[in-house]
């Protein structure tokens, strides 16, 4: 059975596929560029219209004196003996009770800033927007270069002065070392008075039981004499 006969037979069992390709179809299908599905009409509002347009909230109209007071009508209808919806409908056509607006309950509402100034904004003020023109134009970089050049020029002028003094900046470690050296020198020049060793008050007037003269020649005699 030749391949041409297999393809012309329009039999899904006889048609063979090639390596790396799909099996040829045996049905009458539209050309390759055909798009399947139902074409939806384009939406009138796209992403641009949704993101760039802000629809502000429109509050509902409050009930005014031209509206009927349904609670009072229902109570009056019940007192009149109305028992079903049809009788209530007919009874309302002959009786009309307007709604009386209620006064403010309690104390009067406080005046807030937005009542006086409609454009008043609440909240914490955010930081100003980034000056993108200065960033792209490298204005900040040019300003820093000029400031650095000025510092270098001022430093060069100070070094060229004949009687100019050179200021040496000290580190934290060198400052601590200088303070420690001054303190040690002061302690050597003016040593403090020796402090009396701590002793309980009840033992201060008690004499020693052994005197250095009574010990005779001893290896620890010089140390005892120095302590005495």
């Amino acid at each position: 059975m030749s391949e041409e006969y297999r393809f012309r037979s329009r039999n899904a069992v006889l048609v063979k596929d090639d390596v790396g390709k799909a099996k040829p179809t045996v049905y009458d299908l539209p050309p390759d560029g055909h798009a399947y599905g139902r074409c939806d009409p384009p939406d009138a509002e796209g992403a641009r219209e949704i993101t760039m347009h802000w629809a502000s909230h429109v509050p509902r109209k409050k009930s005014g004196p031209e509206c009927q007071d349904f609670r009072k009508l229902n109570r009056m209808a019940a007192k009149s003996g109305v028992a079903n919806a049809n009788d209530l409908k007919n009874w309302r056509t002959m009786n009309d009770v307007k709604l009386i607006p209620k006064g403010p309950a309690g104390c009067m509402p406080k005046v807030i800033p937005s009542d006086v100034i409609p454009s008043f904004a609440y909240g914490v003020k955010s930081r100003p927007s980034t000056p993108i023109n200065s960033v792209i134009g490298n204005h900040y970089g040019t300003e820093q270069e000029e400031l650095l050049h000025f510092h270098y020029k001022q430093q060069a002028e100070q070094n060229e002065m004949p009687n100019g003094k050179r200021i040496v900046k000290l580190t934290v470690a060198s400052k601590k070392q200088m303070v420690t050296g001054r303190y040690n020198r002061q302690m050597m020049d003016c040593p403090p008075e020796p402090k009396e060793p701590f002793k309980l008050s009840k033992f201060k007037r008690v004499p020693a039981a052994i005197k250095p003269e009574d010990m005779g020649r001893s290896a620890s005699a010089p140390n005892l004499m120095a302590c005495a």
Side-chain angles (χ1 to χ4, degrees):
M1 187 179 296
S2 63
E3 296 295 335
E4 185 180 357
Y5 176 77
R6 290 175 183 271
F7 183 74
R8 287 189 293 103
S9 64
R10 312 290 289 179
N11 191 337
V13 179
L14 298 179
V15 174
K16 300 296 182 180
D17 58 343
D18 198 356
V19 178
K21 296 182 180 180
K23 183 183 290 188
T25 179
V26 296
Y27 304 100
D28 296 332
L29 299 178
D32 295 338
H34 180 75
Y36 296 89
R38 184 173 63 90
C39 181
D40 294 333
D43 194 357
E45 290 184 349
R48 180 176 64 88
E49 289 76 12
I50 294 175
T51 55
M52 301 301 293
H53 177 70
W54 179 263
S56 58
H57 172 68
V58 179
R60 185 179 60 182
K61 186 178 180 181
K62 296 183 179 180
S63 301
E66 67 277 1
C67 298
Q68 290 185 341
D69 191 350
F70 294 99
R71 294 183 179 179
K72 192 171 183 179
L73 283 172
N74 293 335
R75 288 196 296 266
M76 293 173 61
K79 293 179 181 179
S80 301
V82 179
N84 51 43
N86 293 329
D87 296 343
L88 179 61
K89 180 181 178 181
N90 299 329
W91 187 86
R92 282 183 179 176
T93 57
M94 296 180 295
N95 297 274
D96 186 13
V97 179
K98 298 297 183 179
L99 179 64
I100 301 175
K102 295 182 179 179
C107 59
M108 296 295 293
K110 296 182 179 179
V111 180
I112 57 178
S114 58
D115 294 340
V116 182
I117 306 174
S119 60
F120 186 85
Y122 298 92
V124 181
K125 185 179 180 180
S126 60
R127 67 174 184 83
S129 60
T130 303
I132 194 65
N133 295 333
S134 301
V135 175
I136 296 177
N138 196 25
H139 295 172
Y140 299 109
T142 306
E143 183 180 354
Q144 292 300 321
E145 289 179 1
E146 294 177 356
L147 181 61
L148 188 62
H149 179 70
F150 173 76
H151 287 327
Y152 284 154
K153 183 179 179 180
Q154 187 177 9
Q155 185 177 4
E157 292 177 356
Q158 291 179 358
N159 294 335
E160 292 176 359
M161 293 176 61
N163 298 328
K165 295 182 179 180
R166 187 178 183 87
I167 301 175
V168 180
K169 295 183 178 181
L170 302 178
T171 60
V172 178
S174 60
K175 291 180 180 179
K176 290 184 178 180
Q177 188 175 4
M178 292 176 61
V179 173
T180 305
R182 291 173 183 173
Y183 177 75
N184 295 336
R185 182 62 179 270
Q186 183 179 2
M187 294 298 292
M188 291 176 61
D189 296 343
C190 301
E193 298 181 0
K195 295 183 179 180
E196 183 180 359
F198 174 75
K199 187 184 295 184
L200 296 177
S201 57
K202 62 180 180 179
F203 295 119
K204 287 183 178 180
R205 299 181 181 181
V206 177
I210 300 176
K211 296 182 179 180
E213 294 80 3
D214 299 339
M215 298 180 62
R217 299 180 62 185
S218 174
S220 59
N223 296 334
L224 293 176
M225 291 296 292
C227 293

